[in-house]
Amino acid sequence: MMNASSAVRPDNDRANLARRRFLKGLGVAIALPSLESLGQTPTASSSEGSSTVRTAFIYVPNGAQQDNWFPSGRGADFKLNTSMKPLESLQSQIQVISGLDHQHAESGPDGAGDHARANATFLTGMRARKTSSSEIHLGQSIDQVIAERIGPRTRFSSLELTCDSIRKSGRCDSGYSCAYQYNISWRTPVTPMSPEPNPRKVFERLFGQQDAIGKREQARRRAEQKSLLDFVLDDARSLQKQLGKSDLQKVDEYVSGIRELEMRIERMESFPKPTRPDITVPEDVPQDYAEHIDIMFDLLAVAFQTDMTRVATLLLAHDGSNRAFPELGIQEGHHYLTHRQEQQYACERVAQIDFFYVQRFARFLQRLADLKEPDGRSVLQQSMIVYGSGISDANRHTHDNLPVILAGQGGGQLQAGQFLQAPAQPMSNLFLALADRVGLTDLERFGDSTERLTGI
């Protein structure tokens, strides 16, 4: 779900939105990236300051195979381990962080249910009330804390995506509500932000008008098999007269990318739905899991490039996911394999799955690195992307020394290109430090934080 703030925007926020350029047509509003020809100032030096930094949180299920995860060396002198090899070309743009934990995901007085607690605690730093009824209670997640403050400056306060099913109720892991396991973004302690798994719906929300006319035109476009770009041709021709050569090329590449996304979604919708007994597949999503992940990442990249939002979450799969990966030659379920790691074949296959997820993440980061701001810096340099899990060793259900990668430079505020071996501390300390870098310096505590993580 994309949440557009219903609050009245301050005058400066309203003005910032008004300055942004859209290609408009009947039922269509395509936000454009910043263009120097139109006098749009570079993101990094705008009057909005550090709040222009984009922040995303990516959840990967079932922790990581420990022997193949953490790098060797330390500081700037580190070598990526097997599972992180896809990130080698981006090593200067990432930080691998060890020492972070989520104690509220531990069993404590609640007994079994580590996978549900892992998802629930990941962005909240709070203990979930153990219940499968409607009496769920957790805490506000860090993405929504940030979105409340800086969300009014963008078209969408935040963007919630998933490559899994949508579940808000029912009984899941060991008596915990499914709401905990299938949602990582929480607006309030009792209200999860439902993520969207369908690329078509995300695409239409990003580029279509959401009023009654817009929704009617969306249906007509699909029925007539027309591209949404057909509806903005007149506006596009008018815009071209105002642009310099560099911006003309930038807009051409951007519009071509939008059309390519649209065509990929159309191709996906033409394939028969998968029938897999081991997983529950949401309606109208790609049959190929890697393609599903990639297109959700691409939609997120466009949203960041055009400043439609600066806050996002993406749940790749819920913790405890038992998805098989036949495309990797792995017929056993992921969760099943994590509990067979005393056997070498299982360790190797879990590491192979970790590699697969990192591969998709690396592709996304490269996409952000290729997208340039007017001042020449990349969208990745202007971002803070947290990739991780709420469980470390899924075989033993541990929640200390979590697998965490922090990508991007946060507009020059992060020391990318290092392996940070932090003293044991709550992961909430990292979130508190990131909140500082988007302007929330008055946030004294978050979740179970004890202080701000230093060294990032």
Side-chain angles (χ1 to χ4, degrees), residues 323-370:
R323 173 184 288 274
F325 290 80
E327 63 273 28
L328 304 179
I330 299 174
Q331 303 302 326
E332 304 94 334
H334 189 183
H335 179 238
Y336 170 87
L337 287 168
T338 63
H339 287 296
R340 300 293 184 279
Q341 292 189 71
E342 70 282 355
Q343 302 176 46
Q344 185 61 29
Y345 89 95
C347 290
E348 292 173 354
R349 292 179 187 182
V350 172
Q352 193 177 352
I353 293 170
D354 295 341
F355 183 95
F356 165 85
Y357 280 121
V358 173
Q359 218 173 16
R360 312 269 58 83
F361 182 56
R363 179 187 174 279
F364 169 59
L365 295 186
Q366 188 59 60
R367 174 68 176 146
L368 296 183
D370 291 340

Side-chain angles (χ1 to χ4, degrees), residues 163-382:
C163 294
D164 211 327
S165 300
I166 301 175
R167 301 190 68 175
K168 297 181 182 179
S169 60
R171 182 186 177 94
C172 279
D173 185 17
S174 303
Y176 280 95
S177 170
C178 298
Y180 295 128
Q181 208 161 352
Y182 287 80
N183 300 278
I184 57 173
S185 178
W186 290 72
R187 184 170 60 85
T188 73
V190 297
T191 311
M193 298 288 290
S194 295
E196 178 56 63
N198 189 327
R200 165 65 67 180
K201 291 182 179 179
V202 179
F203 184 85
E204 293 289 359
R205 285 177 179 175
L206 291 179
F207 302 115
Q209 293 177 204
Q210 294 305 298
D211 55 14
I213 293 175
K215 292 178 180 179
R216 184 172 67 246
E217 290 305 311
Q218 289 171 21
R220 183 166 74 90
R221 282 198 306 273
R222 295 187 69 180
E224 297 177 359
Q225 296 183 320
K226 288 187 176 182
S227 167
L228 88 169
L229 296 174
D230 294 336
F231 293 78
V232 297
L233 289 176
D234 289 342
D235 199 17
R237 292 189 189 102
S238 175
L239 175 67
Q240 286 175 338
K241 301 173 184 177
Q242 306 173 52
L243 301 183
K245 183 177 180 181
S246 177
D247 279 344
L248 276 172
Q249 181 179 353
K250 187 175 185 179
V251 170
D252 182 63
E253 290 174 352
Y254 171 70
V255 171
S256 295
I258 297 301
R259 179 53 184 150
E260 191 269 338
L261 267 174
E262 191 176 32
M263 291 174 67
R264 281 166 62 193
I265 292 171
E266 289 169 359
R267 286 196 301 270
M268 293 172 194
E269 292 171 338
S270 68
F271 286 114
K273 291 183 176 62
T275 54
R276 290 275 300 280
D278 58 317
I279 54 173
T280 301
V281 180
E283 291 293 317
D284 298 317
V285 303
Q287 182 172 359
D288 183 273
Y289 185 43
E291 179 69 5
H292 190 189
I293 293 173
D294 287 349
I295 199 164
M296 297 305 260
F297 270 138
D298 287 349
L299 288 163
L300 175 52
V302 169
F304 275 1
Q305 177 190 13
T306 54
D307 206 28
M308 280 190 272
T309 190
R310 296 174 191 161
V311 185
T313 57
L314 173 55
L315 175 67
L316 298 178
H318 69 279
D319 221 281
S321 168
N322 204 36
R323 173 184 288 274
F325 290 80
E327 63 273 28
L328 304 179
I330 299 174
Q331 303 302 326
E332 304 94 334
H334 189 183
H335 179 238
Y336 170 87
L337 287 168
T338 63
H339 287 296
R340 300 293 184 279
Q341 292 189 71
E342 70 282 355
Q343 302 176 46
Q344 185 61 29
Y345 89 95
C347 290
E348 292 173 354
R349 292 179 187 182
V350 172
Q352 193 177 352
I353 293 170
D354 295 341
F355 183 95
F356 165 85
Y357 280 121
V358 173
Q359 218 173 16
R360 312 269 58 83
F361 182 56
R363 179 187 174 279
F364 169 59
L365 295 186
Q366 188 59 60
R367 174 68 176 146
L368 296 183
D370 291 340
L371 298 174
K372 301 300 180 184
E373 302 280 25
D375 65 353
R377 292 203 282 187
S378 71
V379 175
L380 179 58
Q381 289 173 305
Q382 197 61 24

